[in-house]
Amino acid sequence: MSETPGSTPGRRSFLLAGLGVAGAGVLAACGGGSGAGRPALVSPSGAAVGAADGKRNRTGRTHEVSLVAAPAPVELGGGVTAGTWAFAGRTPGEELRVSAGDLVAATLSNRLPDRTTTSVHWHGIALRNDMDGVPPVTQTAVASGQDFTYRFLADAPGTYFFHPHVGLQLDRGLYAPLIVEDPNEPLSYDDEWVVVLDDWLDGVAGTPDEVYAELKRGMGAMHGGGMAMKHMLMGAESPLLGGDAGDVRYPYHLVNGRVPGDPQVLRSAPGRRVRLRLVNAGGDTAYRVALGGHRMTVTHTDGFPVRHQEADALLIGMGERYDVLVTLGDGVFPLVALAEGKNAVGRALVRTGSGAAPVADFRPGELEGAVATGSRLKAADDVRLPSGKADRVHRVELTGGMMAYDWAINGERFDMDDPARRPITVAEGQRVRLDFVNSTGMWHPVHLHGHTYQLGADGPRKDTAIVLPGRTVSVFFDADNPGRWLLHCHNAYHGEAGMMALLAYED
Ligand code: C2O
Ligand code: CU
């Protein structure tokens, strides 16, 4: 049930044989080391970045958009109002929709409290490095009161989203979907719904910074007695996630910004075919998603097409996206996002006819049916990377734990003040293999910026992949987007604790 590519002996040897790396891969020692021996790295706005960008398809059209980040009271439905940070006072923020090859010109206006810096990261988009929104790696953080305009080509169709890349702002309300339409869309469907999932506490039960402070005090503090655990979640168990499901307790799980008792109603008609674009914008929660009374056909993950696969439910880690097709029945159906291992749900309702909605915590039987996960999908033929020998192989060991809250990569907690201290290096033109080795007792959604890797020899193309505890997931990609990119756990709290690394192109 919780199989991971590369984790079973048969699958793994097949993968290695397919890549021709058994004994032949070049094992690059990790990074450049310290001080004098630092490797020369491509600069985020250097000539190599411009040259790679020049090869992108472009339509010549520009989409101008204004993103004003500011504190705001946001209505979550059911009488719940959260005092949070949001774009234009709503969460999720307004969807940004472009066509492949369009230029996005997005002006971020930081109207957050004094001395709060921010940025926008375009999650999953293989864009030019200096527009990736990761201060201080790809730009200077945008100070409060200041503006910054992101200008980039979005040339791969798919389902993406955007969010800040500063501290724990990912776990506030500053996110919105980004849909890149395919001018030659091969799927046919009647309706399309973007469905954004999020675990919510900001401005209701505390702030992400308070949560992090509690997590850092750690489990040690618990034993001292009298230390109340407000946010830390113990004993969240999920077989699908290989054990411990999460660290944080959330009072609400939102679907398109609404609590389950007062859900969004998606209206259509019986027999119509709908494309659902599902995005997990959560900080610490994987969702198992099902539409009561329906099976789904999985068509894409992380923007890229897969061989169509039928499923009753889907498992979506933080930062992952899935597109599915469903043919609607007649009635009222709950679209339920079960917070995996956390015994709570978020939901929307699909209405095509008459009938009463089920109770807010209803769990459709489909949740217990066949669950699609990234590890069970195959890349569609037209996006599968041809197998070839890896020119460079890096072991990316996920380390640390809940006890000291010292989540790290290769035993090293990432230092945002010295991001290039120990980079994972690649050279443009190389085929790169990364072995994500999870030595921790918990699952991690591992996200690489600027690239869409492939899981194993014929698995899906993805930019965020779930790595179960004790397992190894091998991914590969062609190094064709020069710059300095983050590779990190998309659990907001693990990332902040240091489970990040810099993947940098050698100059
Ligand atoms: Cu959603 Cu570093 O990204
Ligand atoms: Cu993690």
Side-chain angles (χ1 to χ4, degrees), residues 80-98:
V80 182
T81 302
T84 186
W85 298 349
F87 292 121
R90 43 181 286 193
T91 191
E94 190 180 347
E95 164 188 307
L96 174 54
R97 188 173 281 260
V98 304

Side-chain angles (χ1 to χ4, degrees), residues 245-409:
D247 301 348
V248 181
R249 183 193 318 278
Y250 288 90
Y252 297 109
H253 295 278
L254 308 181
V255 175
N256 286 341
R258 310 283 299 185
V259 300
D262 188 4
Q264 182 183 29
V265 180
L266 302 160
R267 290 173 200 279
S268 187
R272 283 173 77 88
R273 213 146 106 107
V274 180
R275 178 183 195 162
L276 293 172
R277 297 179 182 263
L278 298 150
V279 178
N280 183 346
D284 175 72
T285 309
Y287 290 101
R288 199 193 315 175
V289 179
L291 176 59
H294 294 77
R295 294 207 93 198
M296 311 184 279
T297 303
V298 183
T299 64
H300 296 73
T301 183
D302 296 358
F304 279 60
V306 296
R307 260 190 240 157
H308 289 190
Q309 174 153 338
E310 298 291 308
D312 296 306
L314 275 174
L315 181 69
I316 315 184
M318 296 81 79
E320 287 191 292
R321 291 90 63 211
Y322 283 91
D323 292 23
V324 302
L325 290 173
V326 291
T327 302
L328 297 174
D330 187 352
V332 182
F333 308 97
L335 175 64
V336 174
L338 174 68
E340 190 62 38
K342 295 186 175 183
N343 195 27
V345 300
R347 72 163 180 177
L349 291 175
V350 173
R351 180 177 283 280
T352 63
S354 57
V359 294
D361 61 355
F362 177 75
R363 296 186 193 183
E366 284 78 7
L367 289 169
E368 305 303 325
V371 181
T373 61
S375 63
R376 293 178 177 181
L377 299 171
K378 303 281 182 214
D381 292 343
D382 54 329
V383 298
R384 188 181 317 112
L385 290 175
S387 57
K389 170 173 155 321
D391 302 302
R392 200 165 286 197
V393 177
H394 286 286
R395 177 183 164 89
V396 177
E397 188 180 358
L398 309 170
T399 58
M402 182 79 185
M403 192 60 81
Y405 225 72
D406 56 351
W407 304 107
I409 287 181

Side-chain angles (χ1 to χ4, degrees), residues 46-69:
V49 172
D53 200 42
K55 295 183 197 142
R56 293 197 166 89
N57 294 324
R58 60 194 69 215
T59 59
R61 278 192 305 265
T62 300
H63 279 262
E64 294 197 17
V65 45
S66 152
L67 298 169
V68 181

Side-chain angles (χ1 to χ4, degrees), residues 135-156:
V137 176
T138 64
Q139 70 172 105
T140 307
V142 182
S144 57
Q146 301 297 122
D147 294 355
F148 181 89
T149 300
Y150 293 88
R151 275 177 205 285
F152 62 90
L153 288 164
D155 69 344

Side-chain angles (χ1 to χ4, degrees), residues 121 123 161 163 165 170 447 449 486 488 490:
H121 167 60
H123 179 114
F161 73 122
H163 60 76
H165 222 293
L170 171 62
H447 174 52
H449 288 208
L486 281 194
H488 66 93
H490 218 278

